[in-house]
Amino acid sequence: MAEPEASSAAANGGGRLRNAFGGVLSAFTLLLIGVLAFSIRLFSVIKYESVIHEFDPYFNFRVTQFLSKNGIYEFWNWFDDRTWYPLGRVIGGTVYPGLTLTAGTIWWLLNSLNIPLSVETVCVFTAPIFSAYASWATYLLTKEAKGTGAGLMAAAILAMVPSYISRSVAGSYDNEAVAIFALIFTFYLYVKTLNTGSLFYATLNALSYFYMVCSWGGYTFIINLIPMHVLLCIVTGRYSSRLYIAYAPLVILGTLLAALVPVVGFNAVMTSEHFASFLVFIILHVVALVYYIKGLLTPRLFKVAMTLVISVGLAVCFAVVAVLVALVASSPTKGWSGRSLSLLDPTYASKYIPIIASVSEHQPPTWPSYFMDINVLAFLIPAGIISCFLPLSDASSFMVLYLVTAVYFSGVMVRLMLVLAPAACILSGIALSEVFGVLTRSLKFQLSKLFDDSSSAVPASGDSSSESSTNSTKSENRNEKSETAPKEKPSKKNRKKEKEMAESVPVKPNKKEKRLLVLPFELSVMGILLLIVLGGFYVVHCVWAAAEAYSAPSIVLTSRSRDGLHVFDDFREAYAWLSHNTDVDDKVASWWDYGYQTTAMANRTVIVDNNTWNNTHIATVGTAMSSPEKAAWEIFNSLDVKYVLVVFGGLVGYPSDDINKFLWMVRIGGGVFPHIKEPDYLRDGQYRVDAQATPTMLNCLMYKLCYYRFVETDGKGFDRVRGYEIGKKHFKLTHFEEVFTTHHWMVRIYKLKPQKNRVRGKLKKLKSGAKSSSTLAAGRKNPWQ
Amino acid sequence: MATPPHPRLLLLPLLLLAAASSSVSADDLVAELQSLRARSPSGVIHLTDTSVTRFLSAPASRRPYSVLVFFDAASLHSKPDLHLPQLRTEFALLSASFLDHNPGSGDLFFADIEFAESQHSFHQFGVNSLPHVRLVRPEHASLGGSEQMDQSHFSRLADSMAEFIESRTGLEVGPIVRPPLLSRNQIILIGILFLISIPFMIKRIVDGETLLHDRRVWMAGALFVYFFSVSGGMYGIIRHTPMFLTDRSDPNKLVFFYQGSGMQLGAEGFAVGFLYTLVGLMIAGVTHLLVRVESLQTQRLAMLAVMAIGWWAVRKVIYLDNWKTGYSIHTFWPSSWR
């Protein structure tokens, strides 16, 4: 260690200046990265308007409104009777409050600073703000593993990775918006604790984990990934006291804090998702004990003690495992939730839970999804993996583990591409920074060699002050700084081990064969150019994806045709109609996708919504939609429904309408009420609504509500989504009446006709008696009773 | 061990009965079929030309049962794209599950016919392509008029065949009982072996001399998981997609790439996954290996090769992606620049 200290003392003044310059430069770069992350997500506001997107965000928005109006205690005890009629829903106890509390706090803070923003504005811009935070957290995390250069690179990549943009554009006010930041920051604090062994960071880590638990159900990923990493470290012989400090407080404090969140509660100790962490906690203590005893005893005594400890420890282990197995086996799903099970056994959901399998974001992705969502990073990640192994440190092994688990999970569910995105960015950042490092180093040394041939050996160790001021040299400076920076902090003894490992590779060959670690000059230039082209393509792709693919709010739709831009604002038109023309206590039935929007925008009570917690209730609505008019009327009437809302895209060609979702209604309905059979709706296994459709299909409520009077639009009944003429064109509704159809026919609202007056002439007494008995029989079929 | 003698004992009086009465009644046929079924392990009756005439060509009044017939051809078992052996085992599984659920049922029987020995029956049914499964119900007057199970019902194997039966006959097949991969004894044995090996494993881990301590194993594992996932391997497992399809218009041509982003074939995924991984590995090679090579000439050649292959691979993937998804990625320049 004497040599670098001497050299650093010699170059002290210059080095300090350069460090200060590098610090300012990287701070400035980080600021720009934050601005980039924020502004690339504003396309939706610029192209459309400042509006909340999609479905779930409307619920979050409504909760935030409630919170800002009524305060936190009211929010905590909120029982919502506007949804899941007649059951209602305890919002305070069933919602992850992190996002709502965050946005509520921001709103409160701004208002107390006399900046009067509306709750909606705050909600719209929460996600972009937090993606800037997320890219800064990425910088910190990557810096812990591979230095400042890689950190900046990774942060810049993360700021515009399409996968993350898809969930965090302005207006997409969903849990993931803050959760990804919390995820990365928790990982950063874990790695930081691992590198420093400081209890301060360990405590922060537990707090950050708490924020993550508050924000998103995906926290189970953290509480399984970190134990996996600890186990990996133990198994590969990398146990240290730092590992103990990084893990033990997290489990104890983290679990206690997690149990504070109402929606998690005792799940934090009672479900299988958390058992891995406790098991590893025990193992860690056993290993810690072994290491402690090893330090106390002589090697021979240790061997004796070892056999003793192992036999006793095994007995204890078996007892614990037996208890765990008994606990797990006592629950029907083996203690795992359906979503986690479908991750472990990918074919699980498609076999047993249609409601999970029905959601498009739970489908497995194909290779173009990866190219769409992480783009050229897919090419860089393998290089990043290899860089992490050369040299392998605790931090870099964590990165690899994170990537591998995330990439596997993303392969099962396309939604988890979001969790993969940070890992992909970190590893690509590492790969890019290393390859830029090598190429620019080759340039620099050979440039100086060209200028004066005699002193070619001098700049080898990297403290030459190069006078060229190109971009590449700047990044080179940063890179070197990352290598030299830890040298000046030798007091942190905990980092010694890794530092030695980190130094051993680049320094050793430098000393022996000074010009070996360079590549040919002209080809390095070409390589840099190619990498810049690759990066340029990435930027183009990300901007395109942000602007074209992921910014549609799906509440306002646009289409561009030859005669200009068409705006379809039918959803808000329909919800506004509902809120202005119906009674406050009227119940509106629709498929669950539109539940949140109806409660938030129309302020009417719905039967089911996007929080799909009660399968039977959803199946009841599915059954009603797939039944003939009369049976459907009875089901809806028994639920006090006044209005039925369907979304129909056949006129304008909007593909995600109810007719396309209908098969799932049949499947989910049939899963609970077996008289609904999927084959009845299929002609030779094909789903169709044209002339060859089955009579069951043509008579079901969904078909009738969607296509009622449709033939009047063009005289032929041509469905633009399905691309053919519909099967049954002229029919009348007996139990429903049309009350409102929006401008482009995208939302159609029907009212249930009142019950027929059954007073008849006394002469027809017999007949009416027969009738009432038949309605009784039909009533028994009603699944709701 | 108790089961085999049992049906044989039953069989004897039944056969005697059948021989004694000269006119064969419906009950006799059912009883005979049941005895034949009992002789086969999975309950699939093997039919020949003579038994087809006997059991199936009989007038409907004497045939109160349905028969699901699987048409088999031993000569075609070697053709992989027909999946005949697999479908045959699934068929047996279906039959066994049905028997489990409805023991002693006389409403539905499962049968198979082999092409080489019963060409006449194939002709009678009018079967000229395989795989082929037919349901002969009591109301079908002639064999040719019986109902064919279409391709979509083979897709999910026994489960979808069961749906077919349930929708056509109204009989409940019950849950498909698949034999577990390992028998109970094997599981116990493996468990014991595992328990015994734990102390040895711990000892080796403590000593630090296992494969686990070899960094290269971990690296290869990580790269493999990455390769497998980005190539959409899980999609193939969950959706059971084939590696490639045969072209509909030209059966000799194979389709490796499927246009449309919602679906992918196995081979195309692995090809693209390979390209993804290849470029990454080459970059890593340049960064970590090539810089250590002493010869300048080798470095030059290798770098040229890497750049050429990398350029080609990235362009190929971009081209394939645009072709498959139909997206056209474009830049946004200020409108005054145009």
Side-chain angles (χ1 to χ4, degrees):
Chain A
M1 293 308 292
E3 217 181 75
E5 267 170 36
S7 69
S8 75
N12 210 358
R16 196 174 289 166
L17 193 71
R18 222 182 59 191
N19 274 347
F21 179 67
V24 169
L25 192 68
S26 49
F28 184 65
T29 316
L30 276 176
L31 189 73
L32 286 182
I33 287 172
V35 171
L36 170 68
F38 182 82
S39 51
I40 200 172
R41 285 164 171 81
L42 298 186
F43 276 109
S44 59
V45 174
I46 294 166
K47 287 184 71 176
Y48 297 88
E49 58 186 292
S50 171
V51 66
I52 308 266
H53 289 194
E54 297 199 313
F55 306 108
D56 287 28
Y58 270 96
F59 170 74
N60 298 323
F61 168 54
R62 186 164 157 254
V63 176
T64 316
Q65 262 182 329
F66 186 90
L67 171 75
S68 56
K69 201 183 279 173
N70 298 309
I72 186 147
Y73 289 106
E74 285 294 310
F75 160 68
W76 223 239
N77 297 321
W78 185 21
F79 178 82
D80 185 11
D81 56 1
R82 284 251 171 262
T83 179
W84 291 97
Y85 182 83
L87 307 169
R89 179 182 171 194
V90 186
I91 299 282
T94 57
V95 79
Y96 285 100
L99 175 76
T100 324
L101 290 178
T102 309
T105 315
I106 296 176
W107 177 82
W108 174 82
L109 204 73
L110 288 173
N111 269 275
S112 51
L113 290 174
N114 290 327
I115 304 175
L117 288 182
S118 70
V119 179
E120 190 182 359
T121 314
V122 173
C123 292
V124 165
F125 292 101
T126 303
I129 292 173
F130 270 79
S131 25
Y133 294 166
S135 55
W136 293 334
T138 309
Y139 163 75
L140 292 172
L141 174 56
T142 319
K143 193 181 143 204
E144 281 306 310
K146 284 282 172 182
T148 320
L152 285 172
M153 203 76 225
I157 293 173
L158 184 105
M160 47 186 174
V161 66
S163 167
Y164 184 29
I165 288 182
S166 73
R167 294 318 194 89
S168 63
V169 291
S172 143
Y173 177 57
D174 210 348
N175 288 339
E176 289 92 332
V178 296
I180 293 301
F181 158 71
L183 180 89
I184 303 171
F185 198 62
T186 311
F187 285 156
Y188 157 66
L189 285 170
Y190 170 71
V191 172
K192 183 84 184 168
T193 324
L194 203 55
N195 279 347
T196 56
S198 136
L199 257 179
F200 171 70
Y201 285 114
T203 318
L204 281 188
N205 190 16
L207 287 175
S208 162
Y209 171 68
F210 175 57
Y211 184 64
M212 177 71 192
V213 178
C214 281
S215 308
W216 196 33
Y219 75 90
T220 43
F221 181 64
I222 295 184
I223 203 61
N224 282 300
L225 183 67
I226 290 182
M228 267 170 80
H229 180 244
V230 171
L231 199 65
L232 190 81
C233 284
I234 292 173
V235 166
T236 52
R238 301 181 71 93
Y239 172 81
S240 63
S241 54
R242 289 169 293 121
L243 189 69
Y244 184 87
I245 291 174
Y247 187 63
L250 175 69
V251 170
I252 301 291
L253 277 177
T255 306
L256 283 176
L257 287 170
L260 289 180
V261 183
V263 63
V264 177
F266 277 101
N267 283 348
V269 283
M270 285 169 69
T271 57
S272 297
E273 277 98 345
H274 303 82
F275 283 166
S277 62
F278 301 132
L279 199 66
V280 171
F281 186 69
I282 296 169
I283 294 174
L284 183 70
H285 277 88
V286 172
V287 172
L289 190 71
V290 169
Y291 272 85
Y292 177 68
I293 293 172
K294 198 177 185 178
L296 286 182
L297 301 179
T298 59
R300 253 194 80 216
L301 258 177
F302 176 71
K303 240 180 186 171
V304 178
M306 191 67 194
T307 41
L308 199 83
V309 166
I310 282 185
S311 45
V312 173
L314 275 186
V316 173
C317 259
F318 281 134
V320 171
V321 167
V323 169
L324 282 185
V325 166
L327 267 179
V328 168
S330 63
S331 84
T333 57
K334 310 282 175 250
W336 293 84
S337 67
R339 285 192 175 120
S340 324
L341 263 184
S342 54
L343 282 183
L344 299 180
D345 171 13
T347 52
Y348 179 83
S350 56
K351 270 190 259 171
Y352 301 107
I353 336 172
I355 198 147
I356 289 187
S358 79
V359 183
S360 66
E361 61 189 23
H362 292 160
Q363 311 298 329
T366 52
W367 68 262
S369 321
Y370 283 95
F371 198 70
M372 180 70 197
D373 276 355
I374 56 174
N375 201 244
V376 301
L377 307 188
F379 294 113
L380 298 170
I381 293 168
I385 294 177
I386 291 175
S387 295
C388 279
F389 277 97
L390 303 167
L392 191 69
S393 65
D394 288 348
S396 68
S397 66
F398 182 74
M399 302 302 164
V400 174
L401 190 69
Y402 175 24
L403 177 95
V404 168
T405 45
V407 82
Y408 167 75
F409 287 149
S410 73
V412 179
M413 263 189 209
V414 69
R415 170 190 206 187
L416 294 173
M417 202 74 96
L418 185 65
V419 177
L420 169 66
C425 293
I426 291 167
L427 286 177
S428 316
I430 291 171
L432 266 186
S433 127
E434 298 242 321
V435 70
F436 268 126
V438 167
L439 294 178
T440 47
R441 185 168 66 212
S442 327
L443 279 197
K444 191 170 125 186
F445 293 165
Q446 286 166 75
L447 259 186
S448 53
K449 200 172 71 179
L450 284 183
F451 283 129
D452 76 0
D453 230 298
S454 59
S455 64
S456 60
V458 175
S461 75
D463 7 4
S464 80
S465 49
S466 171
E467 51 287 302
S468 62
S469 61
T470 56
N471 263 342
S472 54
T473 345
K474 273 181 197 162
S475 80
E476 153 76 351
N477 276 345
R478 264 182 254 139
N479 219 29
E480 275 167 23
K481 198 185 75 70
S482 73
E483 274 171 32
T484 48
K487 281 182 199 163
E488 290 163 16
K489 293 184 244 167
S491 59
K492 301 245 165 116
K493 58 186 170 203
N494 292 325
R495 298 182 72 175
K496 208 182 278 176
K497 189 174 157 196
E498 270 128 64
K499 211 180 61 188
E500 275 165 16
M501 293 187 83
E503 279 168 12
S504 63
V505 173
V507 173
K508 218 191 295 162
N510 264 356
K511 277 177 194 163
K512 280 181 193 163
E513 312 137 352
K514 274 164 189 165
R515 275 162 299 159
L516 267 192
L517 285 182
V518 293
L519 292 167
F521 179 78
E522 63 285 357
L523 287 172
S524 301
V525 176
M526 251 179 86
I528 289 175
L529 286 179
L530 278 184
L531 282 177
I532 289 174
V533 169
L534 193 73
F537 179 75
Y538 176 71
V539 174
V540 168
H541 177 92
C542 293
V543 173
W544 172 82
E548 300 283 327
Y550 291 135
S551 284
S554 92
I555 189 96
V556 189
L557 306 162
T558 57
S559 86
R560 206 178 287 274
S561 66
R562 235 170 288 143
D563 42 324
L565 192 74
H566 288 276
V567 178
F568 302 99
D569 204 357
D570 287 35
F571 287 105
R572 290 195 290 185
E573 186 185 350
Y575 295 130
W577 185 89
L578 274 178
S579 78
H580 289 298
N581 295 285
T582 60
D583 196 56
V584 177
D585 286 328
D586 283 346
K587 280 81 187 167
V588 181
S590 65
W591 190 234
W592 57 263
D593 293 17
Y594 313 105
Y596 279 163
Q597 293 182 346
T598 313
T599 42
M601 281 194 272
N603 192 22
R604 291 295 173 268
T605 310
V606 295
I607 307 299
V608 290
D609 67 21
N610 310 44
N611 173 261
T612 52
W613 62 278
N614 187 330
N615 196 21
T616 318
H617 220 54
I618 292 178
T620 308
V621 174
T623 305
M625 293 295 191
S626 8
S627 304
E629 220 178 311
K630 189 169 181 221
W633 185 90
E634 274 156 9
I635 295 174
F636 280 144
N637 192 47
S638 70
L639 285 168
D640 292 350
V641 168
K642 258 256 184 83
Y643 297 92
V644 180
L645 178 152
V646 292
V647 171
F648 171 63
L651 186 70
V652 288
Y654 170 61
S656 50
D657 63 350
D658 278 346
I659 289 288
N660 274 0
K661 289 171 186 169
F662 181 61
L663 220 45
W664 286 109
M665 303 185 202
V666 173
R667 258 172 227 161
I668 293 167
V672 179
F673 304 109
H675 70 274
I676 302 289
K677 293 191 190 71
E678 190 180 336
D680 293 347
Y681 297 82
L682 304 175
R683 172 72 72 194
D684 300 327
Q686 270 192 325
Y687 176 65
R688 52 203 310 167
V689 291
D690 57 357
Q692 291 179 10
T694 59
T696 327
M697 179 71 223
L698 295 181
N699 279 318
C700 72
L701 183 71
M702 181 50 77
Y703 178 87
K704 286 192 164 176
L705 297 191
C706 282
Y707 291 117
Y708 178 61
R709 295 199 304 113
F710 180 52
V711 72
E712 292 167 21
T713 53
D714 60 350
K716 282 184 296 184
F718 184 81
D719 185 322
R720 287 223 198 148
V721 176
R722 265 61 62 175
Y724 43 66
E725 286 182 24
I726 57 172
K728 196 166 148 188
K729 296 173 185 171
H730 303 279
F731 55 85
K732 285 209 166 87
L733 295 175
T734 54
H735 291 72
F736 293 83
E737 58 178 319
E738 186 186 2
V739 286
F740 185 68
T741 294
T742 55
H743 185 204
H744 300 98
W745 285 51
M746 281 174 60
V747 185
R748 312 194 68 184
I749 301 171
Y750 292 84
K751 189 174 183 180
L752 271 76
K753 279 187 182 166
Q755 213 151 13
K756 280 238 172 74
N757 204 341
R758 267 197 303 196
V759 180
R760 306 244 168 140
K762 280 182 183 172
L763 284 173
K764 292 180 179 174
K765 206 174 185 182
L766 239 172
K767 222 177 177 181
S768 69
K771 262 222 159 138
S772 70
S773 79
S774 80
T775 43
L776 253 183
R780 218 173 295 136
K781 261 189 259 160
N782 175 3
W784 183 247
Q785 284 166 352
Chain B
M1 285 286 108
T3 39
H6 186 67
R8 226 170 270 164
L9 283 178
L10 254 174
L11 184 68
L12 207 62
L14 285 176
L15 283 179
L16 283 175
L17 252 173
S21 60
S22 53
S23 71
V24 192
S25 75
D27 293 344
D28 292 337
L29 282 181
V30 171
E32 207 174 319
L33 279 172
Q34 279 172 335
S35 73
L36 281 172
R37 178 168 68 186
R39 263 189 277 174
S40 135
S42 59
V44 177
I45 301 162
H46 187 72
L47 293 179
T48 55
D49 279 347
T50 46
S51 45
V52 166
T53 358
R54 183 173 170 73
F55 296 118
L56 293 177
S57 308
S61 57
R62 296 225 315 270
R63 188 154 52 79
Y65 46 80
S66 308
V67 179
L68 191 69
V69 187
F70 183 86
F71 293 87
D72 201 2
S75 54
L76 296 177
H77 277 198
S78 52
K79 286 214 169 178
D81 47 334
L82 290 182
H83 304 292
L84 273 183
Q86 190 200 4
L87 286 172
R88 178 64 183 78
T89 48
E90 288 291 318
F91 188 74
L93 207 62
L94 181 71
S95 161
S97 309
F98 179 78
L99 263 185
D100 271 359
H101 197 69
N102 315 291
S105 158
D107 296 327
L108 176 66
F109 293 96
F110 295 83
D112 69 339
I113 304 183
E114 217 292 316
F115 178 68
E117 56 184 47
S118 327
Q119 295 195 6
H120 179 62
S121 307
F122 268 65
H123 186 67
Q124 268 186 310
F125 276 102
V127 175
N128 42 28
S129 70
L130 292 182
H132 198 106
V133 175
R134 281 243 171 155
L135 179 70
V136 186
R137 274 186 292 176
E139 63 263 29
H140 292 141
S142 71
L143 293 183
S146 54
E147 192 171 355
Q148 182 186 348
M149 188 191 281
D150 56 79
Q151 283 293 329
S152 66
H153 287 104
F154 297 133
S155 58
R156 281 184 300 122
L157 305 172
D159 301 86
S160 48
M161 292 195 213
E163 278 169 20
F164 172 79
I165 293 171
E166 282 169 6
S167 66
R168 295 310 190 283
T169 64
L171 295 168
E172 190 102 342
V173 176
I176 304 290
V177 191
R178 290 179 193 276
L181 270 178
L182 298 167
S183 71
R184 202 172 60 98
N185 287 343
Q186 279 170 316
I187 290 175
I188 292 175
L189 189 73
I190 289 173
I192 290 175
L193 281 180
F194 177 71
L195 287 184
I196 293 175
S197 62
I198 284 179
F200 294 100
M201 287 197 312
I202 289 182
K203 187 173 177 302
R204 298 209 38 191
I205 286 171
V206 170
D207 294 349
E209 53 182 32
T210 52
L211 265 184
L212 294 177
H213 292 82
D214 191 341
R215 201 172 291 169
R216 277 163 298 179
V217 174
W218 289 101
M219 192 153 86
L223 287 172
F224 176 75
V225 172
Y226 176 76
F227 161 74
F228 188 74
S229 297
V230 287
S231 55
M234 296 311 293
Y235 183 90
I237 290 177
I238 294 173
R239 294 289 162 80
H240 307 288
T241 47
M243 274 293 162
F244 47 80
L245 296 170
T246 44
D247 200 337
R248 270 194 197 157
S249 50
D250 177 9
N252 292 327
K253 250 173 74 182
L254 294 178
V255 177
F256 288 100
F257 284 84
Y258 182 92
Q259 195 164 12
S261 58
M263 144 101 168
Q264 75 166 36
L265 299 173
E268 70 171 291
F270 288 120
V272 177
F274 171 72
L275 291 184
Y276 284 152
T277 320
L278 176 74
V279 175
L281 288 180
M282 288 192 312
I283 293 176
V286 170
T287 327
H288 298 286
L289 280 180
L290 203 59
V291 283
R292 281 152 212 270
V293 173
E294 294 197 24
S295 144
L296 207 66
Q297 212 54 38
T298 326
Q299 280 189 334
R300 279 216 174 92
L301 280 179
M303 273 195 81
L304 270 179
V306 162
M307 282 185 217
I309 297 173
W311 178 256
W312 171 80
V314 174
R315 283 201 44 166
K316 194 80 197 161
V317 171
I318 294 173
Y319 162 75
L320 278 173
D321 181 67
N322 287 347
W323 172 80
K324 192 174 171 69
T325 57
Y327 293 139
S328 60
I329 294 153
H330 54 85
T331 48
F332 295 86
W333 300 115
S335 39
S336 59
W337 288 16
R338 284 188 194 139

